[in-house]
């Protein structure tokens, strides 16, 4: 078991010098750093991996809670835990002043690690699967209907101000490696951090659909889909999880695109889950290009971007890349941005 960890670690370290960077890929023509236009609408800010903040100026939602980003060494050989000071710093840098709803796509550590700390800090309502419920309970947080909404036990749809959030049944990207298989299944017993990352079992996976009078957004926190599940939804923008997408078969890649993107027919697709989440987020204001891609191997971000670009071209969808803390405004279904530093 130790040799598998060591091999993974060495591979990751050796591969960290990979030269491909999606924000510098001429095919994707990254237009950042950019910020949302200062006007009425829904502002979306990217915080790395699949952590995304949404606000309409009244109600604030956070998709996934993962800002502490423990190192590979800490993740595989130690105990991991949320870092409240890091969360507070990243909130401040991103201009996040509050969270009303915290939405957890599945319970792996790179999506749920910081959720209990954010829930404790913000006293917000957390929406997640039954595995997340066990993590929440393990931290002895309030689990009444004002603080915890468990999908599907409490339903699959919830309103937050003018936002309507739907958790739509989905699937996880295929677990091929030992470390991925290790975190399959359900969290059955409540636990508290610090904990081994292997305690963060996946549980049920949901695509998160968010409807607002200004427009609609779909977020997939992993590159899998349940056929037909999104057929009755529409979205102007899709945040598309592409982690390990390149490792899927060609058929799986096409199915994922078809059952996710083509199901909801967005004008804009934003790839997410491409950055190396074992590296800390920059504390320098701006620093949009400071995210680095997941090394190849174990992933192949360039291959995943090729899949996205090919499918988007074939189906006439726009692709937009976001760097750290880049933001856009969704207004009347359209994406509006301006260069950072302009008004
Ligand atoms: Zn996952």
């Amino acid at each position: 078991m130790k040799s598998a960890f060591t091999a993974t670690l060495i591979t990751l370290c050796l591969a960290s010098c990979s030269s491909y960077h999606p924000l510098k890929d001429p095919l994707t023509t990254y237009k950042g750093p950019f910020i949302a236009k200062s006007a009425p609408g829904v502002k979306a800010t990217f915080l790395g991996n699949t952590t995304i903040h949404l606000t309409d100026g009244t109600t604030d939602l956070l998709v996934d809670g993962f800002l502490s980003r423990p190192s590979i060494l800490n993740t595989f050989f130690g105990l991991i835990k949320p870092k409240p000071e890091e969360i507070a710093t990243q909130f401040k840098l991103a201009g996040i002043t509050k969270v009303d709803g915290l939405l957890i796509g599945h319970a792996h550590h790179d999506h749920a690690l910081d959720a209990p700390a954010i829930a404790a800090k913000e006293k917000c309502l957390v929406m997640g699967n039954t595995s997340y419920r066990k993590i929440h309970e393990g931290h002895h947080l309030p689990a009444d209907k004002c603080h915890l909404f468990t999908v599907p036990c409490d339903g699959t749809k919830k309103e937050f101000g003018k936002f309507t959030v739907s958790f739509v049944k989905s699937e996880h990207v295929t677990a091929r490696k030992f470390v991925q298989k290790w975190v399959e299944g359900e969290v059955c017993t409540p636990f508290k951090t610090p904990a081994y990352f292997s305690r963060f079992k996946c549980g049920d996976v949901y695509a998160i659909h968010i409807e607002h009078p200004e427009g609609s957004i779909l977020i997939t926190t992993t590159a899998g889909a349940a056929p037909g599940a999104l057929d009755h939804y529409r979205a102007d923008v899709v945040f598309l999880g592409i982690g390990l997408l390149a490792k899927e078969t060609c058929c799986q890649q096409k199915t994922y695109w078809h059952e996710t993107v083509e199901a909801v027919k967005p004008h804009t697709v934003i790839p997410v889950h491409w950055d190396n989440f074992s590296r800390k987020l920059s504390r320098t204001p701006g620093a949009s290009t400071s995210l680095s891609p997941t090394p190849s191997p174990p992933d192949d971000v360039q291959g995943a971007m090729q899949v996205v670009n090919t499918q988007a071209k074939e189906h006439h969808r726009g692709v937009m890349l976001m760097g750290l803390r880049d933001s856009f405004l969704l207004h009347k279904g359209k994406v509006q941005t301006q260069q950072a530093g302009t008004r």
Side-chain angles (χ1 to χ4, degrees):
M1 192 180 291
K2 255 188 175 172
S3 60
F5 284 156
T6 309
T8 306
L9 182 67
I10 291 169
T11 307
L12 286 169
C13 292
L14 286 175
S16 59
C17 56
S18 166
S19 60
Y20 177 80
H21 196 303
L23 300 182
K24 295 167 189 165
D25 180 352
L27 286 175
T28 49
T29 56
Y30 171 58
K31 295 187 174 66
F34 55 83
I35 56 173
K37 281 201 169 175
S38 187
V42 173
K43 181 185 177 187
T45 306
F46 180 52
L47 293 158
N49 205 44
T50 51
T51 302
I52 299 154
H53 176 252
L54 302 170
T55 181
D56 62 1
T58 302
T59 305
D60 292 60
L61 302 178
L62 191 69
V63 175
D64 280 353
F66 187 63
L67 298 166
S68 298
R69 297 169 63 118
S71 68
I72 290 176
L73 273 175
N74 187 195
T75 301
F76 288 154
F77 297 104
L79 300 168
I80 56 173
K81 63 179 181 181
K83 297 216 164 74
E85 193 255 342
E86 179 67 16
I87 295 167
T89 298
Q90 294 302 331
F91 270 26
K92 192 173 179 190
L93 283 163
I96 300 170
T97 55
K98 69 180 177 77
V99 175
D100 301 300
L102 177 54
L103 316 172
I104 309 297
H106 63 285
H108 279 154
H109 86 285
D110 56 319
H111 304 270
L113 176 66
D114 290 337
I118 295 169
K121 176 177 181 282
E122 301 293 330
K123 309 205 175 351
C124 57
L125 175 64
V126 190
M127 195 168 173
N129 63 18
T130 51
S131 286
Y132 174 73
R133 181 177 191 93
K134 296 293 180 191
I135 301 170
H136 197 90
E137 288 172 351
H139 286 78
H140 307 294
L141 292 161
D144 59 89
K145 64 180 183 180
C146 295
H147 295 91
L148 186 63
F149 185 101
T150 308
V151 183
C153 312
D154 298 331
T156 56
K157 193 175 279 220
K158 180 79 187 162
E159 290 187 1
F160 296 84
K162 290 181 179 175
F163 292 98
T164 302
V165 175
S166 301
F167 272 44
V168 184
K169 192 84 183 81
S170 188
E171 297 290 337
H172 200 273
V173 70
T174 311
R176 291 189 163 81
K177 298 268 187 331
F178 166 73
V179 286
Q180 294 171 271
K181 292 181 191 291
W182 205 12
V183 287
E184 287 189 305
E186 298 278 342
V187 178
C188 298
T189 311
F191 70 90
K192 192 176 191 313
T193 52
Y196 290 110
F197 97 99
S198 55
R199 300 292 303 270
F200 288 82
K201 307 287 189 202
C202 183
D204 290 334
V205 176
Y206 295 95
I208 301 172
H209 184 268
I210 300 171
E211 186 82 48
H212 187 278
E214 290 287 2
S216 51
I217 294 171
L218 177 76
I219 297 140
T220 60
T221 58
T222 178
L230 286 163
D231 285 355
H232 302 296
Y233 292 86
R234 291 290 176 268
D236 300 301
V237 174
V238 171
F239 286 91
L240 189 73
I242 63 165
L244 297 171
L245 176 61
K247 302 295 179 186
E248 297 289 74
T249 64
C250 190
C251 180
Q252 286 173 312
Q253 291 167 352
K254 285 184 178 171
T255 300
Y256 178 49
W257 182 275
H258 184 78
E259 296 293 345
T260 304
V261 178
E262 296 313 313
V264 301
K265 300 178 173 48
H267 51 68
T268 302
V269 177
I270 302 171
V272 292
H273 212 326
W274 56 263
D275 61 297
N276 182 351
F277 59 73
S278 65
R279 296 185 64 164
K280 288 266 178 287
L281 295 174
S282 171
R283 290 185 163 202
T284 304
S288 64
T289 57
S290 61
L291 296 173
S292 52
T294 311
S296 171
D299 204 347
D300 175 6
V301 176
Q302 186 169 14
M305 284 305 306
Q306 278 170 0
V307 173
V308 170
N309 288 330
T310 302
Q311 291 295 323
K313 192 172 177 187
E314 186 180 323
H315 295 96
H316 310 289
R317 311 280 173 210
V319 177
M320 184 171 92
L321 269 168
M322 296 181 80
L324 178 62
R325 296 187 285 271
D326 280 343
S327 61
F328 67 82
L329 189 78
L330 188 62
H331 176 59
K332 294 184 179 175
K334 299 279 184 280
V335 167
Q336 298 181 353
T337 63
Q338 61 186 355
Q339 289 303 115
T342 60
R343 289 238 161 231

